[in-house]
Amino acid sequence: MKWERKDLLGIKDLSGEEISLILDTAESFLEVSTRDIKKVPTLRGKTIINFFVEASTRTRTSFEIAGKRLSADTINISASTSSLVKGETLADTARNLEAMNPDVIVIRHSCAGAPHMLARLVRQSIINAGDGAHEHPTQALLDMMTIRSRKGTLSGLNVTIVGDIAHSRVARSNIYGLNKMGAHLTVAGPATMMPRDIRELGVKVSFRLEEALQDADVVMMLRIQTEREQRSVFPSLREYSAFYCLNGDNIQRARPDVLVMHPGPVNRGVEISPEIADGANSVILEQVTNGVAVRMALLYLLTGAIE
Amino acid sequence: MKWERKDLLGIKDLSGEEISLILDTAESFLEVSTRDIKKVPTLRGKTIINFFVEASTRTRTSFEIAGKRLSADTINISASTSSLVKGETLADTARNLEAMNPDVIVIRHSCAGAPHMLARLVRQSIINAGDGAHEHPTQALLDMMTIRSRKGTLSGLNVTIVGDIAHSRVARSNIYGLNKMGAHLTVAGPATMMPRDIRELGVKVSFRLEEALQDADVVMMLRIQTEREQRSVFPSLREYSAFYCLNGDNIQRARPDVLVMHPGPVNRGVEISPEIADGANSVILEQVTNGVAVRMALLYLLTGAIE
Amino acid sequence: MKWERKDLLGIKDLSGEEISLILDTAESFLEVSTRDIKKVPTLRGKTIINFFVEASTRTRTSFEIAGKRLSADTINISASTSSLVKGETLADTARNLEAMNPDVIVIRHSCAGAPHMLARLVRQSIINAGDGAHEHPTQALLDMMTIRSRKGTLSGLNVTIVGDIAHSRVARSNIYGLNKMGAHLTVAGPATMMPRDIRELGVKVSFRLEEALQDADVVMMLRIQTEREQRSVFPSLREYSAFYCLNGDNIQRARPDVLVMHPGPVNRGVEISPEIADGANSVILEQVTNGVAVRMALLYLLTGAIE
């Protein structure tokens, strides 16, 4: 199979074959980051702009490292220094970046759909690095890569996603992707954090963590946005963690070889107890390592370097 | 002709031959950014510091891309993170940067004359990326490159510059340059935005846009600094745009093949109506593309790589 | 002698042989920055993360230039954009960076001991670029390099350090290092700026600048943190400078070939009078130049590139 898309905007539009191609390509790049000389000349002379209108260290750093290990030139633009503060429209900023002839623009934006608008406007490849509460496709891809490399397959696995499902782009992208790949999905969280139409996405819904963890092969704990949500959606962090924190007790419901995942940064003791976050079932740091490989794969595929 | 200056501080000091050399060199670099591998080894092992004491995304990005496509090492220093906040003088900061042996320091500063002070202090090449309301020579050079490539020459063209002439370094640098190259210049704007001694620069002055546009080959619309000027120099944006916004009606006064230019970011509907900004006469995005080439040319010429 | 440490956390732990090895290596790298092509392929394919939780332009720039001149990939992470603002612990941030497989993490942090914690947690090399009021080993190394290159040796020299000894990581690291290398140390400053147990570090203490300067071969003036300390530790900058500013008069007490040093940024007229800061005895800018070489040496030694 050959990659044919200009952009990577979301998981919703991808076929299972496309997801598998990305994961296969990522696995082949994983080795580069373990070499003594962690660099291949694949994207020499390509320009990648990391355009982060919403702040993010780990995703930006992951993309920057991915680009550099492929020998691309990487340029960082952050919201606070961007022309956007001067009142320019996002469309004009995009066209300006286009005129400087980059090859890929990686964009994170607080508005859902911003990457899609850019993709229509400019001839370069756009990668969605997170748009509002909509999608975060590279996170879902690194999650699927992590599961597949541990379990050998995604098909038939019981995957439970726990937290603020309604506001989580990580949950949404993973639901789209894992469904396509044949996993059985359960989402869990307080009713205030559950989208009304969630069942239409083909998932089971539970409001009790213990129930949702039953026979799980994988459990993904979502980050609680303590800086934003604390007041509106639930009474207190303490109350949230009393009901939804993954710990040494409730994890017994899951399969013994359950994978514990989290997109980070972890609020220890809120979403996961420290001993589980650092325990033998946790693959949280593997997710980070795989993230660099997934981003290398996407940069490679989108710049058409595939033969 | 051979380039002999250490620094590029302003257009005022340049000869017409020097301007032509820069534009010729820039045209030869334009092609690099259209290649599959957008990189030449010309400045390998050179260090370029982008020292932006006044924020700017597009100019910094343009310089960073220009440096990287020439294989130089680029270092960004912004005001907010710089030692200047610790009370160090600009002269001491400059001497410190000098001691790290860069090859070129690109400086943007809110004080007119800051690049000139640096140029006297340090042995490295200084490029003025905008100093207060004084000069913005790389903008004028990319503007002249854009006009020349479209019209074949600068000599004899009617060029109209519209907006806040008094506070615009873009206007000042373009007036110096276009005058040297034999263009006929008209400036237009409200009386409050017109410097008193403007006629001494060899331009015609008009306070009416329709009059200033008559038979124009080129019209440059300056950016209104909405974030700063709104209150002091004119009653309201609405009033400004009623009199000075380039639109489908008043553009009829200009020649049919008039070039519409703007240094960006555009305030749509204030300086230019959207249909003109995006219309067939607009070369706004060509300006951005040429900006990378002009900056590549200057980095090349100043580092003495010319043979 | 062969370098065997994973990390460079402080001068306190280093042997004299290790310090000499670093200084010898740094001297061999000094020449690279004077070449026409200022770049060697030594660290090609290595990833260096500059993780500055406390702001610093000059140290970050020095490390970034050092890395780039060795052909390493450099990634900057600053506090304001980092996940730390999202409530992640420093340990989790460190483990996340580790998972992206960098080779060296350079960290500056306002908490003493932060680099040491990282060094225990992660398998990569950690360089302390300043931790609270604890140590600033690369500054002390560049200081010792500067003295040694000027005086031929460190042993037997009279070195006087003046200023806020109690809160200065520069003073602490220099005291450890210069003591090991056989210098005779005197510290001077107001009583409020003198740590109680300072004599245990093997230094002479003086509260009078004139006395402390007697027969000095080297005088290091520390930076007064005007932005923080002004109120608490001394009545006023004017009073401080009246007693402790190095000037054309009091410098007569020192040896005629005394070296005047300052870690920068200098508060002119507070710590040093302008004519002395710029005078024939000042080696302040040599310190900056040597800083790049010291950092190149450390990156080289720590990545095990030594044969």
Side-chain angles (χ1 to χ4, degrees), chain B residues 250-306:
Chain B
N250 55 34
I251 201 175
Q252 303 298 331
R253 304 283 188 125
R255 299 226 162 121
D257 59 350
V258 64
L259 301 181
V260 172
M261 305 179 75
H262 191 292
V266 177
N267 296 301
R268 286 167 170 265
V270 176
E271 303 119 9
I272 311 187
S273 69
E275 79 272 16
I276 300 299
D278 301 328
N281 294 83
S282 170
V283 292
I284 294 173
L285 296 173
E286 266 180 60
Q287 292 174 269
V288 177
T289 300
N290 290 336
V292 174
V294 155
R295 285 154 187 140
M296 290 174 81
L298 288 168
L299 293 172
Y300 171 77
L301 291 169
L302 292 176
T303 52
I306 194 168

Side-chain angles (χ1 to χ4, degrees), chain B residues 44-47 49 73-77 81-83 86 88-89 92 95-96 99-103, chain C residues 33 36-39 56-58 60-62 64-65 68-69 223 227 265-268 285 288-289 292:
Chain B
R44 205 174 62 83
K46 304 291 186 191
T47 304
I49 295 181
D73 291 326
T74 60
I75 311 275
N76 294 323
I77 301 179
T81 60
S82 105
S83 303
K86 290 193 185 168
E88 187 181 42
T89 65
D92 276 340
R95 286 194 198 97
N96 267 276
M100 296 188 200
N101 288 302
D103 296 275
Chain C
S33 292
D36 191 41
I37 294 181
K38 288 179 275 293
K39 206 174 179 89
S56 159
T57 300
R58 66 182 61 215
R60 190 267 296 169
T61 302
S62 184
E64 188 176 352
I65 289 179
K68 286 183 159 139
R69 288 191 180 154
R223 176 178 159 74
E227 63 278 19
V266 178
N267 296 302
R268 287 167 170 266
L285 296 174
V288 177
T289 300
V292 174

Side-chain angles (χ1 to χ4, degrees), chain A residues 213-231:
Chain A
L213 289 173
Q214 194 65 46
D215 297 322
D217 296 293
V218 176
V219 53
M220 289 187 184
M221 306 306 293
L222 301 174
R223 174 177 161 75
I224 290 297
Q225 307 283 334
T226 52
E227 63 278 19
R228 296 187 248 174
E229 296 175 313
Q230 204 165 340
R231 269 168 318 165

Side-chain angles (χ1 to χ4, degrees), chain A residues 137-157:
Chain A
T138 60
Q139 179 69 43
L141 288 163
L142 71 88
D143 290 338
M144 289 188 278
M145 179 181 175
T146 304
I147 300 169
R148 201 182 75 164
S149 78
R150 284 291 188 134
K151 298 291 187 189
T153 181
L154 296 164
S155 179
L157 295 180

Side-chain angles (χ1 to χ4, degrees), chain A residues 208-277:
Chain A
R208 291 187 49 238
L209 181 57
E210 287 71 15
E211 178 185 84
L213 289 173
Q214 194 65 46
D215 297 322
D217 296 293
V218 176
V219 53
M220 289 187 184
M221 306 306 293
L222 301 174
R223 174 177 161 75
I224 290 297
Q225 307 283 334
T226 52
E227 63 278 19
R228 296 187 248 174
E229 296 175 313
Q230 204 165 340
R231 269 168 318 165
S232 52
V233 239
F234 58 97
S236 72
L237 279 182
R238 187 172 300 179
E239 183 164 342
Y240 177 83
S241 68
F243 287 98
Y244 295 100
C245 182
L246 187 68
N247 60 39
D249 287 336
N250 54 33
I251 200 174
Q252 303 299 331
R253 304 282 190 125
R255 300 229 160 117
D257 58 351
V258 64
L259 301 181
V260 173
M261 305 179 75
H262 192 292
V266 178
N267 297 301
R268 286 167 170 265
V270 177
E271 303 118 10
I272 311 187
S273 70
E275 80 273 16
I276 299 299

Side-chain angles (χ1 to χ4, degrees), chain A residues 67-130:
Chain A
K68 286 181 159 143
R69 290 194 178 151
L70 292 168
S71 299
D73 291 325
T74 60
I75 311 275
N76 294 323
I77 301 179
S78 63
S80 59
T81 61
S82 104
S83 305
L84 290 176
V85 302
K86 289 191 184 170
E88 189 181 41
T89 64
L90 180 62
D92 276 340
T93 301
R95 286 193 198 98
N96 267 277
L97 295 179
E98 177 185 36
M100 296 188 200
N101 288 302
D103 296 274
V104 181
I105 300 172
V106 177
I107 180 170
R108 168 165 291 196
H109 200 285
S110 56
C111 294
H116 307 70
M117 190 190 76
L118 257 66
R120 284 190 300 272
L121 274 175
V122 309
R123 64 183 181 281
Q124 286 92 7
S125 294
I126 304 296
I127 297 179
N128 179 358

Side-chain angles (χ1 to χ4, degrees), chain C residues 18 50 60 96 114 178-179 216 251 306:
Chain C
E18 287 176 308
N50 293 316
R60 190 267 296 169
N96 267 277
L178 288 163
N179 252 337
I251 201 175
I306 194 167

